[in-house]
Amino acid sequence: MLQIAAIDRNGNERSIEAPPGITLMEAIRNEGMDELLAQCGGCCSCATCHVFIEQSGEGVIPQMSDDENDLLDSSDHRKPQSRLSCQIRLTPEMSGLRVAIAPED
Ligand code: FES
């Protein structure tokens, strides 16, 4: 299991345990953090799973695709550390990852 820290929009941090192989979005949603809407269910078409990577853990997070990049451009809250959490599949090396849920667009 990986250890992940997720920070909600009120600044409350929650510790999450997640198995490798699921996406970061699924890990956050499984924890009941419903403010991460993930409306498209992980199809890279809604951008409501937007997070900021505060700390990447020891593992390298894969580069974003052109589709993810284009979709993030539609957000008013995009920052250099922005990612769509449905596009990050967890690997054991990502343990220690710390993310914050981005403001709603
Ligand atoms: S859940 Fe829709 S883009 Fe990630």
Side-chain angles (χ1 to χ4, degrees):
M1 292 291 248
L2 289 80
Q3 304 290 331
I4 299 168
I7 304 162
D8 69 19
R9 292 190 180 121
N10 293 320
N12 301 312
E13 184 167 325
R14 201 179 301 187
S15 213
I16 297 176
E17 282 202 342
I22 67 170
T23 66
L24 178 57
M25 175 274 276
E26 289 167 329
I28 294 171
R29 295 275 312 172
N30 288 349
E31 191 63 21
M33 297 178 82
D34 294 339
E35 63 182 20
L36 191 85
L37 291 177
Q39 272 167 341
C40 77
C43 300
C44 198
S45 61
C46 73
T48 60
C49 65
H50 185 180
V51 295
F52 303 130
I53 307 293
E54 306 285 339
Q55 187 179 307
S56 64
E58 287 176 25
V60 175
I61 295 178
Q63 294 276 351
M64 68 177 71
S65 65
D66 290 345
D67 283 349
E68 181 179 350
N69 191 29
D70 289 348
L71 205 50
L72 278 169
D73 269 344
S74 68
S75 170
D76 293 335
H77 305 286
R78 184 171 189 172
K79 296 202 278 188
Q81 62 270 43
S82 287
R83 290 299 302 260
L84 296 180
S85 57
C86 72
Q87 298 302 299
I88 297 174
R89 197 159 291 282
L90 298 175
T91 62
E93 297 75 30
M94 289 179 195
S95 203
L97 186 63
R98 190 162 179 270
V99 301
I101 297 175
E104 196 168 2
D105 275 309

